[in-house]
Each structure stands twice: as C-alpha cells, then as structure tokens.
Amino acid sequence: MSLFNVYPLNPIAITKAAASRVWDDQGQEYLDMYGGHAVISIGHTHPHWVKRIEDQLHEIAFYSNSVVMPIQEQLATAINKLSGKKDFQLFLCNSGAEANENALKLASFHTGRKKIIAFKKSFHGRTSLAVAATDNPSIVAPVNETDNIIFLPLNELTALENYFATMGHEIAAVIVEGIQGVAGIYEASPIFLQAIRKHCDAAGAVYIADSVQCGYGRSGQFFAHDIAGADADIYSMAKGMGNGFPIGAILIAPHIKAKFGLLGTTFGGNPLACAAALAVIEVIQKENLIQAAAANGAYLIQALQNTPGVKTVRGRGLMIGFEMEPGLEEIRKVLLNEMKVFTGEAKPNVIRLLPSLAISKQDIDLFLNRLNMAIQELKQTPA
Ligand SMILES: Cc1ncc(COP(=O)(O)O)c(C=O)c1O
C-alpha cells in the first residue's frame, strides 16, 4: 500500500534527534531551526520528557474520560500557574484544529449565534469549522463552505468597528492568531487585539485567541496575545504543548459555563499525553525557557536585520520570518542541502524560524554563520 501523497517531501529520512539537532538515516547531522513546524518547545528527546513519558507508560497509558484523572487536574493547575490565566477552565483534545473546532463550537453554543469573524491570511486548521475560518479556498472542501465566516483585514480597526456596528448582535466569535504563522509571520497589533476585546464585550461575542503556533512561550510571553494586556475568552493551544507528543487544548474563561455533553473526545486528556505536557511545563519553568525565547529571539532578530542580503525581518521571540533580497530566493534550499539547516517556509518567499525555545546562543550563532555562507554562495552563483 502506498502513502496518500499529500505532502511535498524533502527526500531526507530523519531517524534521530536531540535538543536542536536531527540526524538522517545516513548519520548526517542537521541544525533544526524549524522545530518540526513549531512543535519542539523544550528540545528534541529532552531527558526529563522521555523519562516522564516512560514512567507514565509503566503506570497507565490510557483510560477514557469516564473516570477521574488526577493527572488532568495537575496539568490544569500547572497551565493556570504558568499562563497566569487564573480560574480559566481546561478542555483537553489532540491537535490544533480540534482545539479551534471546539473553541468555535463552544462560542456558538455560549452565544446561540452563528457568525464568526476571522482574518485575511489566517490559518486555523483543517477540520470543518477551523478550515472554513482559514483564508485559503484551496483547502476548503465544498462541504465546508459556509457564509457564517467573514474575513476582515488584520489590524484594520475601522473594518472591525464597521462590521460590529452593523452585525454585532449576530457575531458568535472573533478568532485571531496573535502572530499569523502560515501567512508568513504577521503580528496582530496590541491596539487591534484591544479593539477585538472591546467590541466582543460590547456585542456579547467571544474572543478566541488562536495560540496553536504562537503560544506556549514561543513569542517570549506565554501567549503572544498577552502583549495587548487584555485576556481572551478562549485560548486554543497545541504544537509546543507536548513537545511532539500529540495534545491540544482550550483554556476557557470562567464566565463560559460547562454542561455535560457540550464537548467530548475519546483520546483527549489521556494520561500519557498529560504526562508529556507536564514534562514540558516543568522544563519550561526549570530552564526559564520563556525568558530565553524572548532574549534569544531579540538577539536573532537583530542579527538578521544586520545581515546583508536579508530584506525584511518580522516576528517576536522565537517565531521569526524573513525575506531575502532579489536573487537570493533559493536560500532555503542551500541552507538545507549544503549547510544542513532545517528552516520553515511561507509562500511565496518567507523563511520561517521556529526552533526549540531551548536553543542555545551557540546554535543561533551557528545558524547565522551558515546563513552568511549560504548568502555568499548564492551571490557567487551565476544567475
Ligand atoms: C495558528 C494555527 N492554528 C491551527 C493549526 C492547526 O493545528 P494542527 O495541525 O495541530 O491541527 C495550525 C497548524 O499549523 C496553526 O498554525
């Protein structure tokens, strides 16, 4: 049987990983500035994470959500403490799309309304509502098409205000990434996030902060949206939460009330996933990784801004996008094939850096060296 061919693959088989390095099946080492798409938060195969999962496997890996699971309570307490979102409630699931699907559904249940505001270039996942709220018609199947989603331009206050002025009473939710990832690293401005908060309050709508990619410390704050100093009603999380162990969640403000059967999942919140997520939080705290992401990200952004050949740099913490001057567009290929560095991309020409929050300053310098070498090489290559 063949694999369903939906991914344009790099012809490299990664079979081993540690911290910010990965190795292929030929033993070739690579520097990982991509973190498997922003998933690796505390570093590949972190020993504490491996041990906690291993220990949990010997106790119990799975039971359904029909029984009390103290490890879920432990995780809820730990996330409340680390995020500062006191008294928020936790619903556990398995992925980013599922987190957003539940967030949107919950907002609709809570308000009794149908309309959702999302933003141009947004990406929220591939399940039915999440993909409908994603601004990419090529991945929206006919069955997912709905006129309940309205796409407004990001950071345009007047468009937001006008829409709320006419349709406010019908709006269930506004969903917004703190920093748009798939779009190519575009930040929602603090003033725009504050306006979303204000309009949602006035209209009785739910503010959903999609933190699947930009959350969990990656921006240098627990949630990228925290920069606005205003809480959302629901935060969706996934990627960095399990450091590669599949887990997602929504954090729900206290005023949104639960009811039996409102949401549900078979695998979400299983003990093994909770153990992985607790290990991640313990390492983030012990190694001060949120502060490290802020400091190392600022250093990397400044170094990129001073790199000849780099045209623009965007982002915050360790969620960075940059574009090259004309003639240097092939930089990702040279970085991967010759300099042995994994990076991410966003169409058409954005290079995305999403390394582990635990990446060392030496590895950042190594990346900058290799980037400079790749630039020199491309400059010497005849067009
Ligand atoms: C902002 C954002 N939301 C949601 C998702 C979907 O997450 P998942 O692929 O885990 O379903 C992604 C994935 O890239 C994302 O970047």
Side-chain angles (χ1 to χ4, degrees), residues 307-308 335 367-377:
T307 299
L335 278 169
F367 165 70
L368 290 166
N369 268 334
R370 292 187 186 179
L371 175 66
N372 275 302
M373 286 196 293
I375 292 171
Q376 290 318 314
E377 181 161 328

Side-chain angles (χ1 to χ4, degrees), residues 37-39 94-100 122-127 130 134 175-182 210-214 236-239 247-248 319 352:
H37 206 74
V39 165
N94 308 282
S95 70
E98 205 187 329
N100 283 330
S122 60
F123 184 91
H124 297 296
R126 290 168 183 271
T127 56
T134 289
I175 183 165
V176 61
E177 294 161 79
I179 305 172
Q180 288 188 331
V182 173
D210 182 341
S211 303
V212 168
Q213 186 168 155
C214 61
S236 57
M237 322 181 287
K239 292 184 187 292
I247 181 167
M319 184 162 179
R352 269 197 290 169

Side-chain angles (χ1 to χ4, degrees), residues 222-283:
F222 189 79
F223 290 121
H225 302 73
D226 286 343
I227 198 165
D231 278 350
D233 298 307
I234 304 178
Y235 295 87
S236 57
M237 322 181 287
K239 292 184 187 292
M241 198 175 170
N243 196 45
F245 198 101
I247 181 167
I250 50 178
L251 274 192
I252 306 154
H255 70 93
I256 299 178
K257 302 293 177 209
K259 191 172 90 175
F260 289 159
L262 201 62
L263 305 176
T265 160
T266 296
F267 292 117
N270 67 78
L272 202 52
C274 290
L278 276 165
V280 168
I281 290 184
E282 286 152 4
V283 173

Side-chain angles (χ1 to χ4, degrees), residues 7 20 22 25 34 81 93 97 103 122 129 139 143 152 161 163 169 173 184 233 247 267 286 289 300 306-307 361 383:
Y7 300 114
S20 286
V22 294
D25 54 357
Y34 176 50
K81 198 163 158 223
C93 56
S122 60
L129 251 182
I139 63 166
V143 72
L152 297 180
E161 189 171 332
Y163 196 80
H169 56 291
D233 298 307
I247 181 167
F267 292 117
K286 184 150 184 266
L289 293 185
L300 179 50
N306 293 328
T307 299
K361 176 118 176 323

